[in-house]
Structures are given as structure tokens and as C-alpha cells.
Amino acid sequence: MEKLTIVGRDEHPQKAPVDPESLVHRQLLGGDFWRKIPAYRDIDEATWLDHRWQSKHTIVKPDKLLDVVQELVTPGFIADAREGFHRAPMSLRVSPYLLSLIDWANAYEDPLRRQFIPLGSVLRPDHPKLDLDSLHEQADAPVPGLTHRYPDKALFLALDTCPVYCRFCTRSYAVGVDTDQVEKVSLKPTVDRWERAFEYIASRPELEDIVISGGDSYNLRAEHITTIGNRLLDLPNVRRMRFATKGPAVMPQKILTDDPWFAALAGVVERGRKLHKEVVLHTHFNHPTELTEITQRAMNRLFEAGVTVRNQSVLQRGVNDAPETMRLLIKRMSYLNVHAYYVYVHDLVKGVEDLRTTVGTAIELEKQVRGLTAGFNTPTFVVDAPGGGGKRDCHSFEHYNPETGISVYRSPNVNEAAFYCYFDPIDLLSAAGQQRWADPAEHELMLAEAIAAARARQR
């Protein structure tokens, strides 16, 4: 019999110290990096940090964006982008700050370009099971702009605009202006609509947790932040709220120079603390290059004011689906006091099949990052189950067939009897899987097979 050796604590070799130069998560982009863009060559730091200047010069028309970068890219790229904008379901909105972080010498591969500027050459057909509102947020809305799915939590969509429009937005049915492809649902920030939401929340004593999103909390005026925050804090049943925003990733200048907005947020956080209620900021960094020295200054200001910041990333092909990229993102956020909370397996969103990846990829990434840093800075990888099942740990499926790309989840706190199916992108499946999806007669058969396998597991 082989003898087992138990190694004592004192017998473990010490880890060798690391070279400080290897701690790349601490190496943040600084200096006047924006001057590499010809249009911003003469912009001084004070102007660059002015949130009003950033907002005023945010680009919302494809022709304007292409004019700004035409000296940096080829005519072929310009033509490719024009076609991408024509076919995109999302409006364009890109800040100068974000534009300056893109590596225009490698524009086709750049992870930030992929997220915000569509190219016709890489677009793929939508998955046949895709729905414009794949998460059924409108179906779960008792009043316009308020989704009540989980027992004790509601999502309050306060408005329908953002400081940037992401290609992969799961609310492309409402966010932004109409495009050539999508006529949007209106969720304007009106007092009457908000009041209906507040009345519903007050009428449901089980609601303790409210997410304020949209659109984006960054686009709420200071008085809106105060009104919404205090109105919810005044409700005895509400114990927690989260202001959700992409803003710090695309315009951290607002936190540094929009003093009324910052004071309003900090004031609601402080009042909540005195009432023993939690108010936090949820943001959305997807790639390490989105965190710069300007980000650090903004996060420091929030930290000094006692504002907790958590992050929710979206897993995207060619953006953050490599282990080394996800590791660096998590470590860099931790370094700036941003807690990695969730990584979402990309929702089934119209017009961005080139960005989606597989459940199998998410499962492997979670293995790769677990143990990298403290647990409270390690994200949970989740599938937001199509059809309104809510967030499920990506590995908690009842059934997953990598050949067909169908994963089946249960969500007992939402609907005990229901099965919710997620679909990997077809172009990443095996040849056999792609062949089955090429035949419409196979679609319902594959779905039935997957659900039958999930049911069998329950017996």
C-alpha cells in the first residue's frame, strides 16, 4: 500500500516575492493620453476633466464619429462602420474619454471598439430563439418601468437614456432613440410615471431591495437622485437600494467635477446609513483598459464619501473572455476598491451575436479566477435566464448540451415549475450542432430534448 505523506504547516516552502513590475493591475493609464486623437490634441487637463465638456462633445451621429477618427483608420474601416451603424439596433453615443481609450491602430481587434462601434463585416445572424426583450422585463412590469420578478426585489427603470450606448444593451427595446432597426419603448423620466412606481413599491411590503437603473442613473439630475433616493428611503419596507450606472467606465469626470450630482448621491448614501439602510453604486467595467488614473481619482472620491461600489460585467467574445483579461480586470477593480459582483453570460440581444460566447466558456473562466483574490472581490458568473427566470449561477443548469448549445435552468423563487433555456451562439457550436440549427424543423425538437433531459434529472 502506498504511504500517504501529510505535509506539516512548517514544511511548506515560502512563496518567493514577486517583481513589483509584474503587478500590472496597478499600472494605470495616465498623462494626457487623449492628445493622440487629433480632435483632442489641444485639450488641456482641466477641460478634459470637465464633465460638461465631455457631455457637450459626446458623439451621437455616426458621421461625426467617423470624421473624428478618419485620420486614424483606413477608408475600409470607415465603410465597414457605416454599414454596422445602419444595421445596429442601438443608437450611437460615445464620450471623448471613451473614444480616446480605443487603440485605433488596431481598431478591428480593440475590445472597447467592439463594445460600442459596430462593424458590418463581423455582424452575424441573430439566434432564431432571440427576442428583443429576451428577459421579459416588460411582461413582469406591473406599472410602466418597474419590473417585479424576484420576491423581495424590483427594478426601477427611471429613464431611458445613458451617457453611452452599449451595443450589447439588454434594453435595446427602450434605451436610446429609434434606429433603422428598432422603434423604442418610451420610459421618459416623468414624475407621474415615477409616482406610480413608488405607489406600487409602497403597496408591496415584501419589496425590500430596489435597483434604480434605466437607462442610467448618471443621466439623472442631482434633484432626481435626491427625490428618488429619499422617496424610497421614506418607505418602511425598503431596506436596500442600488443606483446602477455605466458612467464611471465611460465618463469618470462626472464624479470628479459634477459636484451637485455627487453631493446628491453621497447625501442619499449618508441618510440611508443613518436609517440603517444600504445605498450603494453599481457600475459596469468590462475590460482593464477602462480603468485609468482618472478612474482611480473618481473611485477614491466615492470611497472617501463612504460610497460602496460594486461591478457587473458582461462576458463578451473578444473583449473579456480570455482568462488573463478577466484576471486583470478583477485585480485592477479590486485595487481601486470596486468589488467584482457579477459577470453576466451575454444576454440574447439583437444585432450582437458576434459578441456572445458560450456557457462552457463562463464555467471555465470562473474556475480560472476563483482563488485569484479575496472572495468578496471575486465575481459570480451568471446566466440571466431568457423568459424571465432571473439570474442563475452559470454552472447550476439542470441540463447543458454543448453540441446544441442549449442549457436549461430552474428558478424556484420565480416559478417553481418552469424551465428556462439559454442558447449558445450557433457559430461557436460543432459542425453537427450548426447543422441541426440550420434546419428549422430541428429547433423545437432540440428544445424538447433539452427540457426532457432536465425533467429526468428532477425525478
Side-chain angles (χ1 to χ4, degrees):
M1 180 181 294
E2 183 179 352
K3 183 179 179 180
L4 296 177
T5 302
I6 300 175
V7 180
R9 185 179 299 274
D10 294 337
E11 297 175 40
H12 283 294
Q14 290 187 348
K15 287 184 178 293
V18 302
D19 179 354
E21 291 300 313
S22 70
L23 302 175
V24 294
H25 64 282
R26 301 178 185 176
Q27 298 169 13
L28 303 171
L29 179 65
D32 52 358
F33 55 84
W34 58 88
R35 292 181 186 269
K36 68 184 179 183
I37 307 293
Y40 310 140
R41 188 173 291 139
D42 299 326
I43 304 301
D44 60 30
E45 183 179 33
T47 302
W48 188 253
L49 293 179
D50 185 346
H51 73 98
R52 292 164 298 188
W53 186 91
Q54 288 284 334
S55 294
K56 181 179 179 180
H57 291 85
T58 288
I59 296 172
V60 296
K61 295 184 181 298
D63 286 344
K64 174 63 175 176
L65 182 143
L66 298 177
D67 284 345
V68 168
V69 303
Q70 63 179 340
E71 297 179 39
L72 305 172
V73 295
T74 65
F77 180 89
I78 297 288
D80 205 352
R82 288 190 190 281
E83 176 63 17
F85 285 126
H86 170 67
R87 294 166 58 187
M90 276 302 293
S91 318
L92 172 68
R93 191 172 182 86
V94 178
S95 66
Y97 172 80
L98 173 58
L99 206 65
S100 73
L101 296 181
I102 294 174
D103 179 5
W104 292 102
N106 190 28
Y108 273 92
E109 301 302 322
D110 184 83
L112 275 67
R113 193 285 306 159
R114 289 175 184 266
Q115 297 179 66
F116 303 102
I117 301 172
L119 298 178
S121 63
V122 301
L123 297 180
R124 295 178 171 87
D126 290 332
H127 196 285
K129 291 297 183 181
L130 180 145
D131 180 359
L132 185 59
D133 180 12
S134 68
L135 303 184
H136 288 198
E137 289 182 339
Q138 296 179 87
D140 286 335
V143 298
L146 185 78
T147 297
H148 185 186
R149 174 174 300 146
Y150 301 102
D152 71 344
K153 188 182 85 172
L155 170 66
F156 176 35
L157 304 178
L159 72 171
D160 54 11
T161 62
C162 302
V164 67
Y165 292 141
C166 309
R167 290 183 57 214
F168 51 90
C169 180
T170 197
R171 296 192 190 108
S172 57
Y173 66 85
V175 171
V177 299
D178 293 347
T179 69
D180 292 345
Q181 304 298 324
V182 177
E183 183 176 345
K184 310 286 181 169
V185 174
S186 177
L187 292 174
K188 302 302 180 189
T190 64
V191 174
D192 288 345
R193 185 174 70 80
W194 289 358
E195 191 56 39
R196 291 180 65 188
F198 296 145
E199 289 174 356
Y200 178 84
I201 295 168
S203 74
R204 302 300 294 263
E206 72 272 24
L207 281 176
E208 298 181 350
D209 193 330
I210 308 298
V211 179
I212 302 107
S213 186
D216 194 299
S217 298
Y218 238 44
N219 279 24
L220 292 169
R221 297 198 299 269
E223 59 267 29
H224 290 163
I225 296 286
T226 301
T227 296
I228 292 171
N230 286 333
R231 187 74 168 80
L232 292 173
L233 286 174
D234 287 340
L235 299 179
N237 53 308
V238 174
R239 303 292 303 165
R240 300 172 298 279
M241 72 177 78
R242 324 167 202 171
F243 286 93
T245 175
K246 178 72 175 176
V250 299
M251 198 188 296
Q253 291 90 339
K254 184 177 181 70
I255 293 170
L256 295 173
T257 59
D258 189 347
D259 290 335
W261 188 92
F262 183 87
L265 176 66
V268 173
V269 170
E270 183 178 9
R271 181 170 181 245
R273 189 176 296 112
K274 290 177 179 178
L275 294 172
H276 308 141
K277 298 185 177 187
E278 182 184 60
V279 182
V280 303
L281 188 72
H282 276 203
T283 190
H284 184 177
F285 296 105
N286 285 327
H287 191 271
T289 59
E290 296 171 7
L291 296 109
T292 68
E293 286 187 356
I294 298 175
T295 315
Q296 184 177 41
R297 291 165 64 180
M299 296 303 101
N300 285 348
R301 191 180 191 198
L302 289 167
F303 190 80
E304 290 168 11
V307 180
T308 297
V309 182
R310 302 191 191 114
N311 189 74
Q312 300 183 136
S313 298
V314 174
L315 180 61
Q316 298 171 76
R317 193 190 322 185
V319 174
N320 54 15
D321 59 337
E324 59 272 18
T325 304
M326 187 60 71
R327 290 191 192 105
L328 181 55
L329 173 63
I330 292 168
K331 288 287 286 183
R332 187 163 287 173
M333 289 193 300
S334 302
Y335 185 59
L336 302 188
N337 295 312
V338 177
H339 299 289
Y341 177 36
Y342 279 142
V343 175
Y344 288 85
V345 177
H346 199 307
D347 294 334
L348 277 83
V349 174
K350 185 176 177 62
V352 288
E353 199 69 357
D354 59 293
L355 288 180
R356 291 205 306 123
T357 188
T358 66
V359 167
T361 299
I363 293 170
E364 180 59 29
L365 276 176
E366 184 158 38
K367 292 176 185 177
Q368 293 287 339
V369 303
R370 183 67 58 186
L372 173 71
T373 186
F376 56 80
N377 274 327
T378 302
T380 301
F381 287 69
V382 296
V383 171
D384 208 341
K391 290 175 278 293
R392 316 308 299 157
D393 284 4
C394 64
H395 51 71
S396 67
F397 50 77
E398 304 298 323
H399 170 76
Y400 178 38
N401 183 345
E403 180 172 297
T404 65
I406 301 176
S407 47
V408 185
Y409 294 86
R410 294 178 60 242
S411 187
N413 287 313
V414 174
N415 185 330
E416 176 69 39
F419 290 92
Y420 300 93
C421 295
Y422 180 82
F423 304 90
D424 289 346
I426 293 173
D427 69 292
L428 294 183
L429 303 180
S430 67
Q434 293 187 41
Q435 185 175 3
R436 291 194 74 181
W437 280 108
D439 180 1
E442 285 284 298
H443 294 182
E444 293 307 313
L445 179 60
M446 286 187 285
L447 193 60
E449 290 172 354
I451 293 177
R455 290 188 191 280
R457 182 175 174 178
Q458 300 307 115
R459 296 191 184 117

